[in-house]
């Protein structure tokens, strides 16, 4: 989570969350790519700050010719990897036009150009059973007020037997300060407090919002959407990863999980 001038925990509904996060990612897109582009790569598929990739984990089990949808794609690095290295047909979507503009520039530079579409993951503009796989790597799920609706939309556009895989901040992280040092290793907040984290401007308008769900909440959302939860991956921090990314770091990663990856299937 970034830290703004006026930051704290308060309620934020779907409309406020959407407006704040779309504006925030539009404004931060170029700087975000400058800061994290080397770690994420232009056509790599990284599941989270630990650095584990889809090539290492094979959670999608993607194959040539499959139709795949990425939601919360950012600059489309994951979609680009799937297109180039797997030969899948991938559509990359994001709420932020700014992030997609960065993605378009990367596609022009690399020569790998999956379709980039601006849309809201709460109301995907695709027909039922349109895709073999839907996924998001740290996109969408923590940035919407109604993550259960994201699960329902993913399930709706999946073909029977299709996979939905998403990574997000590990729920336990919300009990700890967002501090990469040893000071971030002492739980100070209630794990059960679902009040979102909100940054606001001088007039009290939200400029950035993240929402928390417990591990049990996530499981219930998945099941309620008609999906089968096949696996939950809690990636360990690799010894060779010396990066610090916000509250993620080797210091914390050695002791507490930072990421949870949910592997689901439409029944």
């Amino acid at each position: 989570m970034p830290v703004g001038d006026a930051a704290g925990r308060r309620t934020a509904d779907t409309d406020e969350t959407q407006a704040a996060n779309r504006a925030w990612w539009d404004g931060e897109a170029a700087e975000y790519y400058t800061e994290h582009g080397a770690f994420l790569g232009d056509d790599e598929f990284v599941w989270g700050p630990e650095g584990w990739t889809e090539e290492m984990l094979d959670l999608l089990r993607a194959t040539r010719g499959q139709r795949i949808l990425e939601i919360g794609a950012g600059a489309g690095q994951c979609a680009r990897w799937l297109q180039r290295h797997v030969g899948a047909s991938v559509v990359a979507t994001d709420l932020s036009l700014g992030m997609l503009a960065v993605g378009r520039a990367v596609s022009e530079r690399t020569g790998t150009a999956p379709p980039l579409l601006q849309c809201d993951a709460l109301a995907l503009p695709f027909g039922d059973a349109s895709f073999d796989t839907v996924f998001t790597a740290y996109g969408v799920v923590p940035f919407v007020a109604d993550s259960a609706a994201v699960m329902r939309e993913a399930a709706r556009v999946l073909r029977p037997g299709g996979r939905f895989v998403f990574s997000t901040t590990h729920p336990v992280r919300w009990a700890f300060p967002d501090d990469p040092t040893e000071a971030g290793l002492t739980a100070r907040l209630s794990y059960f407090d679902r009040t979102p984290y909100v940054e606001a401007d001088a007039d009290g308008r939200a400029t950035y919002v993240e929402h928390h769900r417990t591990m049990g909440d996530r499981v219930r959302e998945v099941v309620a959407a008609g999906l089968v939860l096949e696996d939950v991956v809690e990636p360990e921090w690799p010894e060779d990863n010396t990066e610090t990314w916000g509250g993620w770091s080797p210091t914390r990663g050695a002791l507490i999980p930072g990421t949870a990856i949910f592997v689901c299937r439409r029944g």
Side-chain angles (χ1 to χ4, degrees):
M1 290 175 280
V3 178
D5 293 334
R9 305 287 285 275
R10 70 163 173 82
T11 59
D13 64 16
T14 290
D15 290 342
E16 185 178 28
T17 298
Q18 182 191 69
N21 286 340
R22 179 164 51 193
W24 193 89
W25 287 104
D26 281 349
E28 295 291 324
E31 184 176 342
Y32 184 88
Y33 178 78
T34 298
E35 182 178 358
H36 300 297
F39 182 82
L40 295 174
D42 286 338
D43 62 350
E44 295 293 335
F45 190 145
V46 182
W47 278 111
E50 295 81 6
W52 292 92
T53 67
E54 174 61 8
E55 186 174 12
M56 298 171 181
L57 300 178
D58 192 28
L59 299 179
L60 299 188
R61 299 180 186 172
T63 58
R64 178 175 295 276
Q66 281 188 326
R67 185 165 168 77
I68 298 178
L69 173 65
E70 181 177 12
I71 56 176
Q77 289 97 331
C78 300
R80 215 170 277 113
W81 182 86
L82 285 166
Q83 182 173 306
R84 174 174 288 185
H85 296 279
V86 177
S89 174
V90 192
V91 179
T93 70
D94 201 278
L95 181 66
S96 167
L97 192 60
M99 291 299 291
L100 294 175
V102 171
R104 184 170 60 250
V106 174
S107 291
E108 291 173 355
R109 185 173 66 252
T110 62
T112 304
L116 303 174
L117 175 67
Q118 184 184 27
C119 71
D120 185 349
L122 295 173
L124 294 170
F126 305 103
D128 297 354
S130 297
F131 295 94
D132 299 296
T133 300
V134 178
F135 76 93
T136 183
Y138 266 88
V140 181
V141 175
F143 303 114
V144 295
D146 189 1
S147 50
V150 175
M151 310 297 162
R152 292 193 298 270
E153 276 294 271
R156 180 184 65 79
V157 301
L158 273 175
R159 293 168 181 157
R163 297 171 76 79
F164 175 44
V165 184
F166 66 94
S167 64
T168 188
T169 305
H170 196 292
V172 77
R173 283 286 307 276
W174 281 75
F176 296 84
D178 202 40
D179 187 326
T181 71
E182 290 188 359
L185 292 173
T186 301
R188 303 185 186 281
L189 304 169
S190 171
Y191 168 78
F192 302 102
D193 182 1
R194 279 83 161 179
T195 307
Y197 168 84
V198 179
E199 294 179 6
D201 62 20
D203 295 321
R205 289 187 295 265
T207 57
Y208 178 91
V209 185
E210 276 192 48
H211 290 266
H212 167 52
R213 298 290 183 272
T214 67
M215 187 67 76
D217 293 337
R218 291 284 177 230
V219 172
R220 282 186 287 275
E221 289 178 346
V222 166
V223 173
L227 296 163
V228 177
L229 182 62
E230 293 192 332
D231 196 6
V232 178
V233 180
E234 298 169 295
E236 296 187 34
W237 196 276
E239 291 184 1
D240 62 351
N241 183 358
T242 60
E243 297 276 344
T244 294
W245 183 334
W248 289 270
S249 69
T251 299
R252 299 184 75 192
L255 298 176
I256 60 173
T259 295
I261 310 174
F262 294 80
V263 182
C264 316
R265 172 177 52 82
R266 180 182 170 186

